[in-house]
Amino acid sequence: MHITVLTLFPEMVIPFFTSSIMKRAVDKGIITYSIINFRDEAEGVHHKCDDIPYGGGAGMVIMPEPISKALDKIDAKGKRVVFPTPSGRLYDQDYAAELSKCDELIFICGHYEGLDQRVIDEYVTDEISIGDYVLSSGESASVVIIDALFRLIDGVIASESLEEESFSSHLLEYPQYTRPERYCNKSVPDVLLSGHHRHITQWRNDKRIEKTMHSRPDLLSDASLSVDERNRLLTILDKEDRRWILSEL
Ligand code: ADE
């Protein structure tokens, strides 16, 4: 996959591409990337990229020309162009999986109050929100979106790690433990030391259901629980939870 990021602050994005798992994916040739500073396309000695909003209001708006010139240079029309914005469609694991199948993705990072609507209408295919809060920069949102999708591309991460993690079946992840066996007066659960694989799988499954019930009960209605898992859920939960969940499932 080729990822292009259009930004006024390349220094916010470069470390993501040159560190950790993304660096490995780039070194393996699974990901290629370009980071373009669209200020280079702006006119005048000051390379001004933003201006006050027509109609008044607080803050500045990114002007259309510098962005559209940068987009035309990379033939962006007809390609998947993402603009992270709090008013976009909410990002989730299914959306990340969909984007991970693209050969090329282009990200426009906004700053200030926003981006001229005509650029959005002309080029943007996906306006994406990463959550119901407002960030000061589109760079951090772009990095979050890219992080969730690139790791789903074949060869980036072992497929068994992906299967077990949160959201892979609309359930959250089970708790993990490593050495030492005792820490802060707390022991690793006996079952994990037992070597009994069936019991370990059962315990982990119970914990996923329990964790989802307590932290994100809204996910349970989408989780396709087997009859066994449903029964486990009912035994794990106290009476009040049971009444609630029976009305949801
Ligand atoms: N830019 C600012 N806030 C954002 C959000 N919540 N999601 C995506 N982009 C953003």
Side-chain angles (χ1 to χ4, degrees), residues 83-91 110-112 127-142 145:
F83 175 52
T85 162
S87 49
R89 176 180 150 198
L90 197 60
Y91 198 47
H111 252 264
Y112 318 110
E127 289 182 77
I128 301 180
S129 165
I130 61 163
D132 292 338
Y133 41 79
V134 180
L135 303 168
S136 61
S137 78
E139 282 76 8
S140 34
S142 290
I145 296 167

Side-chain angles (χ1 to χ4, degrees), residues 68-83:
S68 63
K69 279 187 191 160
L71 287 167
D72 288 342
K73 276 193 179 166
I74 54 168
D75 285 328
K77 285 221 175 112
K79 294 178 181 167
R80 201 91 185 235
V81 179
V82 176
F83 175 52

Side-chain angles (χ1 to χ4, degrees), residues 116-136:
D116 189 289
Q117 184 62 36
R118 292 163 293 183
V119 179
I120 299 173
D121 296 343
E122 195 66 16
Y123 295 90
V124 172
T125 57
D126 297 72
E127 289 182 77
I128 301 180
S129 165
I130 61 163
D132 292 338
Y133 41 79
V134 180
L135 303 168
S136 61

Side-chain angles (χ1 to χ4, degrees), residues 52-68:
I52 52 170
Y54 278 118
M60 302 291 268
V61 177
I62 294 181
M63 298 153 82
E65 285 97 343
I67 296 254
S68 63

Side-chain angles (χ1 to χ4, degrees), residues 8 57 82 93 126 135 149 181 194 222:
L8 291 172
V82 176
Q93 193 69 11
D126 297 72
L135 303 168
L149 71 89
E181 227 173 278
S194 70
D222 283 336

